[in-house]
Amino acid sequence: MEDKDADNRSAIIAIYFAFTSLSTVGFGDYHPRSDLERLFIAFVLLVGVSIFSFIMGNFISILNQFK
């Protein structure tokens, strides 16, 4: 039973670090200490990147209208 818990924990940590790296936030001095915090931050990073992409897409379409 403990192997399954360890596998779940490893998956959560891997997802957290993947989102942290892909969003170019960096690891920094402050970091989540529990799995719940890691899941929450991974979700926040994913939402942040999505919002930024949406805003940049709109900005680029506005710039293209001026051409």
Side-chain angles (χ1 to χ4, degrees):
M1 190 67 164
E2 287 186 34
D3 269 347
K4 186 174 182 178
D5 291 338
D7 289 343
N8 288 341
R9 182 169 170 75
S10 295
I12 291 170
I13 291 172
I15 290 169
Y16 165 74
F17 280 114
F19 285 149
T20 302
S21 298
L22 291 172
S23 65
T24 67
V25 169
F27 303 109
D29 295 332
Y30 299 103
H31 58 278
R33 294 192 175 105
S34 71
D35 290 340
L36 183 61
E37 289 175 357
R38 285 185 188 93
L39 286 172
F40 177 73
I41 295 302
F43 177 74
V44 168
L45 290 171
L46 186 62
V47 169
V49 168
S50 300
I51 291 171
F52 180 76
S53 299
F54 176 76
I55 291 170
M56 288 306 294
N58 286 337
F59 180 69
I60 290 170
S61 69
I62 290 170
L63 288 177
N64 284 334
Q65 289 177 359
F66 287 114
K67 282 187 173 183

